[in-house]
Amino acid sequence: QMRRLVDVWISQAEARQRAGRAGRVRAGHAFKLYTRQRYTQSMLPARVPEMLRGPLQELCLQLRLAPLLESYELRAAFARALDPPKAATVEAAIIA
């Protein structure tokens, strides 16, 4: 599977953070190119973690190279995540 970039709306948390950056260092404004209705009804409160959005095969390789997690089995390393992926997804990534 090839990874690809997909256009998605930012989350409400990201919108608040970007607005907070405007004017921090010098005078500035935040221009929002979405309606209040889209903000309240269509945008998620927070973004879904990247680990839950895409294939885990590449992440499996990165975990094998991570010095802090090299002693853990892959299943255990994924289980330690704040929002761990489903066990079936982890199994499919390990087998692939």
Side-chain angles (χ1 to χ4, degrees), residues 27-80:
H29 299 280
F31 293 94
K32 301 171 185 170
L33 301 177
Y34 51 84
T35 63
R36 182 173 285 123
Q37 180 181 2
R38 178 168 304 276
Y39 178 84
T40 57
Q41 295 178 2
S42 299
M43 291 179 167
L44 296 173
R47 180 170 284 214
V48 176
E50 185 175 353
M51 188 181 292
L52 302 179
R53 283 186 270 148
L56 298 177
Q57 289 87 353
E58 186 178 327
L59 193 54
C60 285
L61 295 173
Q62 291 174 358
L63 285 174
R64 283 294 110 224
L65 296 173
L68 295 174
L69 296 171
E70 65 186 357
S71 63
Y72 287 96
E73 181 187 14
L74 280 174
R75 289 169 194 82
F78 279 111
R80 292 178 58 91

Side-chain angles (χ1 to χ4, degrees), residues 4-16:
R4 61 187 175 95
L5 295 176
V6 179
D7 290 335
V8 295
W9 287 101
I10 61 174
S11 68
Q12 292 175 1
E14 291 169 318
R16 283 191 305 275

